[in-house]
Amino acid sequence: MADTIPAEPPAPTTPPPKRFRLPAEYYAAPSTGVRPLFPRWVPAGCGIASLVFLVVLFVGGALVTRYGMGKAMDFVLGMMETEMVRAYAKDVASAEKEALAREMTLLRENLRTGQVAVPALEPVLKSLREAMADETLTAGEVAELAAEMEKVNDKAQASHERPSR
């Protein structure tokens, strides 16, 4: 047998270029050849928008806490008062309704003028929520609500003369 020189192996063929990168190639390759997912302005714009939103939220919260929370609670109590009028049971006397309306009016006025702090409303709101759970206000519930409101109003009016009843 003669010494034959083997033929050179065929040159490796290069695969055709891919239209997309596989995830492993994306993370293994340096980031210089990687096209960004979003335009450059998107992260900066979203960051600026979120910063503006947080500042507006913080300033708005501070203003509401300082100036508008009493007025907001006055509005809420006004809405609840219209619901209460519809929920009176038949056994509630008109004198009890008028006493509750008087205390509610005074409480709302004290809230608007800042004489009642919003946290002082917690017992009133709790009693109101429990009384309105069944969507009916009985005579006992009306008396309890009027008493709770009177306590809060008396604390607010301690330094001022309370109007006659």
Side-chain angles (χ1 to χ4, degrees), residues 53-104:
F53 176 75
L54 286 174
V55 168
V56 167
L57 185 67
F58 178 75
V59 170
L63 289 175
V64 165
T65 302
R66 174 88 174 152
Y67 300 108
M69 198 57 156
K71 291 178 183 175
M73 289 308 296
D74 169 45
F75 177 75
V76 169
L77 285 175
M79 301 265 302
M80 293 174 100
E81 189 172 17
T82 60
E83 293 297 319
M84 289 168 44
V85 169
R86 294 184 209 145
Y88 286 132
K90 293 179 182 179
D91 67 335
V92 180
S94 62
E96 293 173 326
K97 293 176 188 178
E98 290 171 8
L100 182 61
R102 221 178 12 256
E103 290 299 328
M104 179 70 90

Side-chain angles (χ1 to χ4, degrees), residues 6 9-10 21 25 28 38 51 127 131:
R21 298 176 80 169
E25 294 171 345
F38 294 107
L51 182 64
S127 296

Side-chain angles (χ1 to χ4, degrees), residues 7 20 26 52 70 73 76-78 89 91 97 101 118 125 127 131-132 141 147 156 162:
F20 61 91
Y26 180 83
V52 168
M73 289 308 296
V76 169
L77 285 175
D91 67 335
K97 293 176 188 178
V118 174
L125 294 175
S127 296
M132 291 294 292
E141 292 170 337
R162 185 167 167 87

